[in-house]
């Protein structure tokens, strides 16, 4: 029973972090975005105004999807959209990982004798 408490506790912590704390993450570009922006100049609205950098070829998401740009499409409240996208991501990851672990778990093979009949342990059988 301890493992279920650990799993549920871990899931709750992950949901809290994804749903609430993720909204307070830095809005500054990460390492990949920073390297793509090197060589360009930006205005106060973070729009490219000059220079030459790979970020100038940036386009909108070609595929799109309901979770594009760390939010849920159709929800205008940014805090709620980001939090729900994080929670949905955690739940999907937990489901896929849990299913994968369930598929590859170890199972004790039934002990069989040479005839293929299942053997029983004499110590556990009652036969006077």
């Amino acid at each position: 029973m301890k493992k279920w408490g650990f799993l549920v506790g871990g899931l709750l912590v992950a949901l809290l972090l994804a749903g609430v704390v993720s909204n307070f993450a830095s809005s500054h570009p990460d390492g990949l975005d920073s390297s793509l922006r090197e060589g360009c100049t930006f205005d106060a609205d973070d729009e490219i105004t000059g220079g030459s950098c790979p970020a100038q070829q940036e386009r909108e998401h070609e595929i799109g999807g309901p979770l594009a740009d760390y939010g849920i499409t159709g929800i205008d409240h940014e805090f709620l959209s980001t939090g729900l996208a994080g929670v949905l991501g955690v739940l999907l990851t937990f489901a896929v990982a849990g299913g994968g672990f369930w598929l590859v778990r170890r199972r004790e093979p039934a002990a069989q004798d040479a005839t293929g009949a299942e053997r029983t342990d004499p110590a556990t059988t009652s036969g006077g």
Side-chain angles (χ1 to χ4, degrees):
M1 220 27 151
K2 282 185 178 182
K3 74 176 178 180
W4 289 111
F6 179 76
L7 287 174
V8 170
L11 179 62
L12 290 175
V13 168
L15 288 171
L16 177 70
L17 291 173
V20 178
V21 178
S22 64
N23 280 292
F24 300 105
S26 175
S27 62
H28 296 291
D30 61 13
L32 177 61
D33 285 337
S34 292
S35 65
L36 292 175
R37 296 163 56 108
E38 286 182 11
C40 284
T41 54
F42 296 87
D43 63 9
D45 294 327
D46 208 31
E47 300 291 327
I48 298 174
T49 58
S52 176
C53 65
Q56 290 174 319
Q57 279 75 42
E58 180 181 48
R59 298 183 306 229
E60 286 297 317
H61 295 285
E62 292 178 14
I63 298 175
L67 298 176
D69 290 330
Y70 304 107
I72 295 181
T73 305
I75 297 179
D76 294 331
H77 192 272
E78 188 176 345
F79 189 89
L80 181 62
S81 177
T82 301
L84 287 175
V87 166
L88 184 59
V90 166
L91 291 174
L92 286 171
T93 302
F94 189 79
V96 169
F101 281 116
W102 181 78
L103 287 173
V104 299
R105 73 187 187 280
R106 289 187 180 157
R107 297 181 191 111
E108 290 296 323
Q112 296 179 350
D113 62 11
T115 64
E118 192 171 314
R119 283 190 278 162
T120 57
D121 185 3
T124 60
T125 59
S126 60

